[in-house]
Each structure stands twice: as C-alpha cells, then as structure tokens.
Amino acid sequence: MHVVEKVARGHRYLYLAESVREDGRVRQRLIRPLGRKDHLLASGQLERLLESIGRHCERGIVLSQIDSGEIRSRRIGGPLLFGGLWKRLGIAEVLEAVLAGRQFGFAVERAVFTATLHRLFVSGSDRDCAGWMTDYAIEGAGELALHHFYRAMAWLGEEVEASAPGALAPRCVKDVIEEKLFDRRRDLFTDLSLVFMDTTSLSFYGKGGETLGRRGHSKDYRPDLAQMILALVIDTEGRPICTEMVPGNTADARVLLPVVDRLRTRFGITRACVVADRGMISAATIAALEGQGLEYILGARERSSKIIRDLVLADSAPMVPLVLDRQRGETQLWVKEVRIGKDRYIVSRNDAEAEKDRADRQAIVTGLEAQLKKGDKALVGNSAYRRYLKTSGKSFSIDAGKLADEARFDGITILRTNARVTPLQAVLRYRDLLQVETLFRAAKATFDTRPIFHSSDAAIRGHVFCSFLALTLSKELLRLCHARDLKPEWQPLLRDLDRLQEATVEKDGKRITTRTHVTGQVGSVFQAAGIALSRSWNELPA
C-alpha cells in the first residue's frame, strides 16, 4: 500500500491506495481518503499518522535514525575479523596465563588487543589509541582509559630477570609471550633449522628510554633523533617468531650473534642456518658463528671487499644458467661457486636486475653530461654524479674507468656461506630473505609506532611488541587467504572493514541491532578466515 495525491476543485487530496492487477494490467485502487493535504499538514494529523505507522516499522526507524545521527554506529569489521584470529592463535589464552596472579584491576588482555588493532588500522601513540577505540565495537574494551594502556605497555616490556653479562637486551614479559605462542603452534613438523633476520631503526620523538634511546645510523633518515634497533626473526613460512630490541647505537653486525644465541636457548634450536643481509657480515661475526657450529648464508659486500673485487669476480669458471618461475614471469639466473681457501662464495647474476642497473647508470651518465655543460659547480652536491667523476686539472670529467668497474656489479649478488647446500639452494634461501624485507616495508606503518613519548624502556618495548602481534595477525590472515587463492590488497581491505558498521537501539522492551551491508573484499576474506559475520538484523529482549 501507498499514499497517492490527487487534485480536485483546486485542492490537493491524499488517499490510501494499493496496486492491483486487472486484465493483465496494474492499476491503483483507492482504499480510503485521508483528507485535504493542507488541512492534514496544518493540524499535524499527517505527522501523527506517520508516527503511528512507524511504531510498527522497526527496521525503517532504526535506519532512519542512523542516517539522521540520532543513533551512533560503531565499526565492527576489524574487531570481528582480527578478534577471531586473536582467539584462534591463542594470544588471549597466553596473555591470561602470563597474567595469572597479577592484580591490575582492569582487563589487560583487552588493552593489549585494542592496542594491537590500533596498529593494524592507523598506528600511532597510545593517547591516540584511547580516542580511536571509541569508534569501534571492541568487546570488553568499554571501561579502558589512557592510563590502562600505559600500564599494559609497561607490563609487556617488564624485565623478568636480570640481564646476563654482555647481553644486548634483558629478558622481558614479551619474550615469555613469544615463546608460549611458538609452543602453541609447535609440532613434529615445526622446523627452525632455517631462520631469516633483518633489522630496522625506530626513532624517538621527545624523551624516552633510559638505555634503548641512543643516537646511531638512522634507517629512516632522522639522525637528529634518538632511536632503537628492532630485529625481526621469521621462519621459512614467513611467520614472525620473535623480536629483539636493542639500543639505537648498536651496529647490525653486533645484533646477529646475540639474537642467534637467544634463539637457541629460547626455542630449543639445536641446528640452525641463519640467513641475513650484508649489513650483518663481519669477520668477527663469521668467526663466532663457525666457532658455535652454526651454518650461515650471508650477503657479502661486493664493492668494499678486496677479496671479492680481486678474486671472486675475477674467477673464470663459467656460470650455470637457471630459470626460476615467479609471479611476474620467469627469472633468468646464472650461478656458480667460488672457493677462496676455506671460504665458500656463491655468485649469482640476475639478467633482469643487470639490465635495470645498466639503465639506471646510463640515466645518471646522461644527466651528468648535461650538467657538465652547465659548469662544475652544479655537480658538487650530487653524490650520484660524484661517483663517476674524475678531476682534470681544475675541472671535472666523466671517469670511463669507474663506469667500466661499476658495470662488473650489474645484477650481481654474492653470498658467503658454510652451509651444506648447493649453490642454487643458497641463492633461493637468500632470496627468501626478501620475505623479511617485504614484511618491514608492507608493515612499515605497523612498526612505525611513532610518536613514542614513553619515559621508560619497558613501556617502549610493550608499545613496539603490539606491532609484532599486529604483524602476526596480518600474516595469519594473508596465509589463510592465499590458501583459498585469494590475494586481498591490504589498505583497501582495511577501508572495507571500516565500512562494516553496527548500530543498536532499545525500543518497546527490545534491543534491536542492525549492521550495514558487506562491501568489497570483506565477505570473501571472512569466508577464507572461517569467521562468521554477525546477522544483519537481530532482536533480543532489552
């Protein structure tokens, strides 16, 4: 049924009508006159009639009140999806077990989950998290306040035992949690004989950290700020195992050995092959690894090593051609092994990377030739130009010898290893190290926890550890999606999850809950994760 308007004798009248089918055609049949429109509006009868009918149209009222702002909706996509993964991975149970016997007076596990969810969606400070969470329907987080987040972060980074002599970092609560989470997924097939490690630096704004905050080589180009070094270790499946946080003035080469030592004691590793980038390599590091009977595959510094420049690259043995399948097509590699005394080097050349290096260098030379015509002063501040220049009296010219020498390294990767693997296996394992670098890039916002204003090392460790938990959740979700041949884009997925909202209203002794429609990738991602969406309309006693 519906209301129609008709004009008679110069006035507008309203009628209650219905549509009927007669002789195969749809016609309107008037059921009852409602009266003159102007009289109904003036007397308020039309509004009263609408209100009376509306009491029986609960869904329409709720939706109209949401649109008008009378009912405030909250986002449910993120809490529902990642809350399900949080429980499935056993993070909630592990936190509660570690919390046993502690009387904090608030839901610490809920504070940690909320902070982790915040890292996934926007990241930032705990102060920002306390305001951000009000827009989300996070179960059990309604009573949390800012000081609860501060206390929860300090608990995660709390030291549980005194630091061992010479240790870069003390043992903390977050280490216990990492070990218990690993134990939950450990089985007969769990293998940590091969681990990948990379590092990044996190800068501090303001004052924070008695020992963590130090000045050092800044990977985010902020040498003016104090920083800490964060090391991430993952397994062969790309799942995060643990993090280590050390003072910001610690060189990468000094981080590797302490992390490996702690891996052996914390996770019971008896045989390990460590794969790390060229920043980790040093004579002392290699000697220590070999002294402990550990295998390694380390990237070598091609340009700065005299042995590599003069001996390894000069080796005349032919390379073996290999073709590898990749998502973007086939990759042509050339691989060979070179032994210098007892040291074993693996040399590989990637044709696609070689062509890119050549094109990049040619672009620099072309620009350099153009700048030389303008005068020498235009070249002083450009480091890319300086590497290909030589002085001729009081002027500059292009150094053909440097260009030829640089061409030797096009597409070249050199590894140093003592592992009992073939050259191809060594190259493939080193290429898998890109998983860690990809995780750091893809989760830069996750680990970019700034601004960090905490005044204690413990709070900073806890703050950053929530980023580790966020990375664990995101990696698990992507693993489940890939198992279903689903490859969601991360940022669009987060936006789609934020569009999934829910509103609740109490009316006539009932509590009515409704949610918006599923959009984008949300439905398929929930299905891949095996997590049920809430009903679009639900009524319960108030």
Side-chain angles (χ1 to χ4, degrees):
M1 288 188 290
H2 54 278
V3 175
V4 297
E5 180 179 321
K6 292 183 176 293
V7 179
R9 297 186 298 278
H11 298 289
R12 295 181 179 275
Y13 293 86
L14 298 180
Y15 295 87
L16 185 64
E18 66 176 350
S19 297
V20 296
R21 182 176 293 276
E22 295 180 356
D23 300 329
R25 300 180 63 183
V26 178
R27 302 179 183 275
Q28 289 185 351
R29 183 172 65 191
L30 301 182
I31 299 176
R32 180 180 177 83
L34 299 178
R36 277 177 53 175
K37 183 177 180 179
D38 53 346
H39 289 174
L40 293 172
L41 291 173
S43 64
Q45 293 182 33
L46 194 59
E47 284 76 10
R48 288 194 293 273
L49 177 62
L50 179 62
E51 182 180 354
S52 176
I53 295 174
R55 284 199 296 268
H56 304 283
C57 302
E58 296 165 339
R59 184 189 297 263
I61 289 179
V62 172
L63 295 177
S64 65
Q65 288 177 335
I66 291 175
D67 292 337
S68 65
E70 298 177 45
I71 298 177
R72 185 165 172 268
S73 61
R74 293 194 297 172
R75 298 183 173 106
I76 63 171
L80 191 59
L81 177 62
F82 294 108
L85 296 175
W86 181 268
K87 294 179 180 177
R88 183 180 302 171
L89 292 174
I91 302 177
E93 292 182 17
V94 167
L95 289 175
E96 294 295 349
V98 179
L99 281 163
R102 301 291 293 268
Q103 302 295 326
F104 280 93
F106 68 98
V108 178
E109 181 269 336
R110 290 288 84 192
V112 176
F113 172 70
T114 303
T116 301
L117 194 65
H118 181 235
R119 304 291 189 275
L120 283 164
F121 279 82
V122 294
S123 191
S125 67
D126 293 326
R127 181 179 294 277
D128 178 68
C129 178
W132 168 88
M133 71 174 186
T134 59
D135 293 332
Y136 291 77
I138 303 173
E139 183 182 358
E143 302 299 322
L144 294 177
L146 177 59
H147 67 280
H148 294 144
F149 289 104
Y150 288 156
R151 292 177 62 193
M153 298 304 105
W155 170 71
L156 289 172
E158 182 181 286
E159 296 182 18
V160 295
E161 60 185 50
S163 300
L168 290 178
R171 180 170 170 78
C172 306
V173 170
K174 68 99 181 169
D175 296 322
V176 178
I177 295 171
E178 288 171 348
E179 292 156 15
K180 289 184 176 295
L181 288 176
F182 180 77
D183 285 339
R184 288 185 65 91
R185 62 182 176 89
R186 184 195 294 268
D187 55 33
L188 292 175
F189 304 101
T190 302
D191 183 19
L192 281 187
S193 61
L194 181 67
V195 295
F196 303 87
M197 193 186 101
D198 202 359
T199 60
T200 190
S201 60
L202 293 178
S203 301
F204 291 62
Y205 287 94
K207 296 181 179 179
E210 300 88 345
T211 59
L212 282 177
R214 291 289 185 271
R215 298 290 173 87
H217 173 66
S218 177
K219 297 182 180 181
D220 49 9
Y221 308 105
R222 291 303 305 267
D224 56 310
L225 299 177
Q227 65 178 19
M228 63 178 287
I229 299 298
L230 173 68
L232 173 67
V233 181
I234 69 170
D235 62 14
T236 53
E237 296 180 4
R239 292 183 295 189
I241 301 172
C242 65
T243 56
E244 296 291 349
M245 305 171 207
V246 299
N249 59 353
T250 308
D252 284 350
R254 286 191 59 208
V255 176
L256 181 60
L257 282 176
V259 170
V260 172
D261 285 339
R262 295 194 70 186
L263 281 175
R264 299 176 75 176
T265 57
R266 292 178 59 190
F267 301 102
I269 300 175
T270 57
R271 175 180 176 270
C273 179
V274 182
V275 184
D277 206 350
R278 55 177 57 88
M280 306 290 178
I281 195 170
S282 72
T285 299
I286 291 175
L289 288 172
E290 292 177 345
Q292 296 181 24
L294 294 173
E295 295 183 346
Y296 57 82
I297 301 174
L298 301 177
R301 296 185 175 96
E302 297 93 352
R303 290 169 175 81
S304 61
S305 172
K306 182 176 177 61
I307 292 178
I308 291 177
R309 292 198 316 269
D310 297 344
L311 299 178
V312 176
L313 288 180
D315 182 81
S316 59
M319 286 186 166
V320 177
L322 300 169
V323 178
L324 302 180
D325 289 330
R326 287 291 183 263
Q327 291 181 353
R328 297 181 181 179
E330 294 182 342
T331 298
Q332 177 69 61
L333 290 180
W334 300 80
V335 180
K336 71 175 179 178
E337 177 181 331
V338 178
R339 288 189 177 270
I340 307 297
K342 296 187 299 182
D343 300 333
R344 183 185 183 206
Y345 294 89
I346 307 297
V347 182
S348 68
R349 184 178 185 272
N350 185 318
D351 281 354
E353 289 296 323
E355 178 58 29
K356 179 180 181 300
D357 292 342
R358 187 202 63 78
D360 291 345
R361 185 174 58 258
Q362 184 57 46
I364 293 175
V365 172
T366 302
L368 180 56
E369 291 173 341
Q371 290 295 332
L372 281 171
K373 296 177 181 178
K374 299 179 182 179
D376 297 343
K377 292 182 178 180
L379 311 174
V380 174
N382 193 314
S383 60
Y385 289 161
R386 287 199 301 268
R387 65 191 300 186
Y388 299 126
L389 289 175
K390 66 178 180 180
T391 57
S392 302
K394 294 184 178 180
S395 62
F396 293 103
S397 62
I398 297 176
D399 190 334
K402 289 183 179 179
L403 290 176
D405 186 65
E406 192 66 22
R408 299 172 64 201
F409 300 99
D410 287 352
I412 292 292
T413 300
I414 298 179
L415 310 177
R416 183 169 173 178
T417 181
N418 67 344
R420 295 183 294 274
V421 295
T422 65
L424 175 59
Q425 289 173 326
V427 171
L428 292 179
R429 287 183 177 181
Y430 187 74
R431 288 171 68 90
D432 287 338
L433 180 63
L434 294 177
Q435 294 181 82
V436 190
E437 298 174 355
T438 301
L439 281 176
F440 269 125
R441 286 196 299 270
K444 187 61 179 175
T446 305
F447 278 117
D448 189 5
T449 56
R450 298 167 297 185
I452 300 176
F453 291 109
H454 298 301
S455 59
S456 69
D457 287 346
I460 293 171
R461 293 190 197 101
H463 187 85
V464 176
F465 179 65
C466 287
S467 299
F468 168 82
L469 294 176
L471 191 58
T472 301
L473 292 178
S474 63
K475 189 63 183 177
E476 177 66 11
L477 178 62
L478 294 177
R479 184 186 69 81
L480 293 171
C481 288
H482 289 168
R484 294 288 191 96
D485 200 24
L486 181 66
K487 299 177 181 178
E489 296 183 54
W490 188 250
Q491 289 303 324
L493 173 60
L494 295 182
R495 288 194 292 269
D496 291 340
L497 289 171
D498 268 349
R499 293 189 186 102
L500 190 63
Q501 301 183 32
E502 182 181 83
T504 301
V505 62
E506 292 189 7
K507 181 179 180 297
D508 297 336
K510 291 184 292 185
R511 174 171 294 176
I512 303 170
T513 302
T514 184
R515 67 163 172 82
T516 56
H517 295 295
V518 172
T519 60
Q521 311 170 81
V522 171
S524 55
V525 168
F526 267 81
Q527 186 176 16
I531 297 173
L533 283 162
S534 60
R535 296 174 59 185
S536 60
W537 182 268
N538 194 28
E539 295 182 13
L540 294 171

